[in-house]
Amino acid sequence: MEQFSIKTGHLSNEIKQEANTQLFPEVCKAKEHLLKGDAAGNDFLGWVNLPEEIDQKELARLKADVERLAGKSKVFVVIGIGGSYLGARMVIEALQSEFASMVRGARPYIVYAGHTLSEDYYSQLLNLLDHEDYSVAVISKSGTTTEPAVAFRIVKAHLEKKYGKAEAAQRIIAITDAHKGALHTIAVQEGYPMYVIPDNVGGRFSVLTPVGLLPIAMAGYDIDRLLEGARDMRRVCIEKDTLEENPAMMYAAIRNVLYRKGIKVEMLVSSLPNLRYLAEWWKQLYGESEGKEHKGLLPHSLSITTDLHSMGQYVQDGERLMMETMIHVKHPATHVPVPTDEQNLDGINYLVNKSLTEINDCAMEGTIEAHVAGGVPVVGIEIERVDEYTLGQLIYFFEFACGISGYTLGVNPFDQPGVEAYKKNMFRLLGKPGF
Ligand code: PA5
């Protein structure tokens, strides 16, 4: 496996020792539950073997559908929310240019819907779709979630008006349950190509199913490498039994030690703006898995150096609530020199022999030193670069660590009873029959 490591050098010896002694047996037990499937939520463990068990025939069908639609679409609309949205967006935003544009791209430009109910958002989206050739993936495991259902109704009507019903049906792909749900019924009736989200894979663990793979392939990224990275990380997570050798066990142990010592917030920190959706995906994964029974670290995120000029003050000097998990990427994909300026009026000629990455790394190292001195425990995750392989590693690592961490915390990491409360109120307020 390519280098992937957890850096504990900035943690106190006390924390490391507690992780290795008190927490170690609990983390081993939690890992055993994941592998034996003998604890709460065990009907949602399909993700554990997903990268190994992926159906190659289905993958080939998916790739063929992607190429068929890519050939006739400038824009690809991905409709979904939560686990049916964040994984694909995380990978695509990590890999695409910050300045990607639908006009010049060789691949369809991915836009998102169903993750918001903003009227202006949909009006702007329809304006775009008026002028560009497009196709659609509608993704919902339950097939009944209101936000994507509303978005799909709007986009489907637009698509059918623009291309006619028959061609529209060729431009829609449904990703949903194998047998049930309103989306399944619509897809069967209209004859849309369909992909299945396995019963035993929950939304936030579904990025390595067609939920994530189809949009990622549509954007032009290598889903085989993504799966390879996940497969390699799976092997390590399953086969290695010490904290030193198993990054998922180490991460789960450290965050539980810190939680028991009164830490309430974990901030995922990166110095690369293209990883902001990694943080959004991670927030859902950990927030929805652990935030139960009035327990769990609150997942939060920082982008440095941007947020050092806003949240930095609080992290340095505010209430001592938080730990930080710093993601460090060793190699950038490209280089941009800092030019020499003879006059040096801005006083930064001392930087000209350094790469921007060296400067960014010094900002991160300086931040770690300052925050540790300020009483914030910091743990690091280091990866070689940002590409499909390392994103696959990160996905599997965070998922496996989340399962271990949730069981160690004493909750069922695979349900989400709390997300129903707002829905009931919304349905009552909207006058939905039966509410
Ligand atoms: O992780 C989860 O289970 C949720 O975030 C769901 O993914 C989200 O609510 C969307 O559900 P569905 O795919 O059924 O539309």
Side-chain angles (χ1 to χ4, degrees):
M1 182 173 84
E2 268 186 38
Q3 200 62 35
F4 180 106
S5 47
I6 300 288
K7 302 281 176 195
T8 57
H10 293 288
L11 291 170
S12 69
N13 286 336
E14 187 197 343
I15 304 289
K16 282 187 270 195
Q17 213 175 352
E18 283 187 32
N20 265 302
T21 52
Q22 259 171 261
L23 262 293
F24 181 64
E26 294 184 49
V27 162
C28 289
K29 187 101 211 123
K31 180 182 164 190
E32 214 177 292
H33 286 321
L34 283 184
L35 299 184
K36 286 192 175 156
D38 61 358
N42 58 0
D43 43 348
F44 281 102
L45 291 174
W47 58 272
V48 173
N49 295 328
L50 208 48
E52 287 293 346
E53 290 176 353
I54 196 111
D55 181 339
Q56 291 299 329
K57 259 172 86 182
E58 271 301 89
L59 210 56
R61 182 170 76 92
L62 182 150
K63 287 178 190 170
D65 264 332
V66 163
E67 293 315 314
R68 176 178 63 80
L69 291 182
K72 56 181 179 180
S73 311
K74 266 271 173 242
V75 171
F76 191 72
V77 187
V78 175
I79 300 179
I81 194 166
S84 292
Y85 151 70
L86 283 163
R89 189 161 195 177
M90 159 194 40
V91 175
I92 292 166
E93 299 244 346
L95 296 175
Q96 79 182 2
S97 161
E98 287 286 342
F99 308 101
S101 121
M102 81 205 75
V103 183
R104 277 171 293 157
R107 299 291 297 188
Y109 183 70
I110 311 295
V111 298
Y112 302 89
H115 62 311
T116 174
L117 291 168
S118 157
E119 190 144 20
D120 290 339
Y121 186 93
Y122 288 102
S123 151
Q124 290 160 14
L125 176 63
L126 293 180
N127 280 342
L128 168 71
L129 300 181
D130 279 344
H131 300 109
E132 301 294 342
D133 277 318
Y134 73 100
S135 39
V136 180
V138 52
I139 308 174
S140 175
K141 185 171 186 207
S142 63
T144 54
T145 308
T146 310
E147 293 91 330
V150 170
F152 183 52
R153 197 182 268 210
I154 292 169
V155 172
K156 178 174 180 276
H158 184 277
L159 194 70
E160 288 177 351
K161 189 162 169 227
K162 182 163 175 157
Y163 295 103
K165 218 167 156 47
E167 174 62 12
Q170 299 292 311
R171 287 176 177 265
I172 295 171
I173 291 179
I175 303 175
T176 189
D177 187 89
H179 309 288
K180 58 180 189 304
L183 178 57
H184 181 267
T185 310
I186 297 172
V188 170
Q189 188 178 300
E190 305 279 356
Y192 304 150
M194 244 199 286
Y195 291 89
V196 166
I197 309 171
D199 273 350
N200 60 358
V201 178
R204 59 189 173 276
F205 289 84
S206 70
V207 52
L208 299 177
T209 72
V211 170
L213 297 178
L214 189 136
I216 293 166
M218 184 64 75
Y221 300 113
D222 186 344
I223 52 177
D224 293 317
R225 278 290 281 167
L226 188 81
L227 289 164
E228 192 184 334
R231 253 193 317 269
D232 286 353
M233 179 57 78
R234 175 183 171 276
R235 225 161 287 135
V236 171
C237 288
I238 287 179
E239 289 172 9
K240 302 293 179 193
D241 282 325
T242 64
L243 298 195
E244 280 62 38
E245 291 175 304
N246 189 321
M249 287 169 73
M250 174 67 95
Y251 177 56
I254 289 168
R255 54 201 308 284
N256 275 279
V257 171
L258 292 170
Y259 179 66
R260 289 177 194 184
K261 287 192 168 303
I263 296 291
K264 299 280 184 219
V265 178
E266 177 179 3
M267 317 196 55
L268 191 72
V269 185
S270 156
S271 60
L272 304 181
N274 55 334
L275 295 185
R276 62 187 168 274
Y277 270 90
L278 174 68
E280 294 308 312
W281 171 82
W282 168 86
K283 279 184 208 168
Q284 189 211 357
L285 184 63
Y286 280 78
E288 230 171 57
S289 299
E290 292 198 322
K292 288 160 200 173
E293 302 169 29
H294 296 179
K295 294 199 266 193
L297 285 164
L298 170 68
H300 190 21
S301 61
L302 280 189
S303 180
I304 62 174
T305 64
T306 314
D307 291 337
L308 296 178
H309 299 263
S310 65
M311 289 294 290
Q313 172 61 38
Y314 190 101
V315 179
Q316 191 68 46
D317 284 340
E319 194 159 348
R320 303 298 70 194
L321 298 166
M322 71 289 276
M323 63 173 284
E324 285 178 308
T325 298
M326 299 266 186
I327 299 196
H328 180 236
V329 178
K330 277 167 79 180
H331 308 292
T334 47
H335 289 287
V336 177
V338 178
T340 314
D341 183 315
E342 267 185 21
Q343 288 197 65
N344 194 27
L345 292 177
D346 52 14
I348 59 167
N349 268 358
Y350 75 100
L351 295 176
V352 293
N353 291 322
K354 297 186 181 354
S355 69
L356 268 178
T357 296
E358 277 177 85
I359 301 170
N360 210 11
D361 284 350
C362 287
M364 183 175 250
E365 196 49 42
T367 304
I368 294 173
E369 281 175 25
H371 289 180
V372 169
V376 178
V378 175
V379 59
I381 296 172
E382 190 167 81
I383 58 171
E384 288 295 304
R385 62 188 67 76
V386 177
D387 62 14
E388 289 92 332
Y389 180 88
T390 57
L391 289 166
Q393 284 180 310
L394 277 170
I395 287 168
Y396 197 89
F397 157 75
F398 275 129
E399 289 182 350
F400 203 81
C402 184
I404 296 180
S405 187
Y407 279 144
T408 305
L409 179 69
V411 298
N412 172 0
F414 306 112
D415 65 359
Q416 53 284 327
V419 301
E420 295 309 311
Y422 95 92
K423 289 184 191 168
K424 285 187 190 134
N425 295 339
M426 177 176 82
F427 293 150
R428 175 178 46 76
L429 292 165
L430 287 168
K432 182 172 177 173
F435 290 80

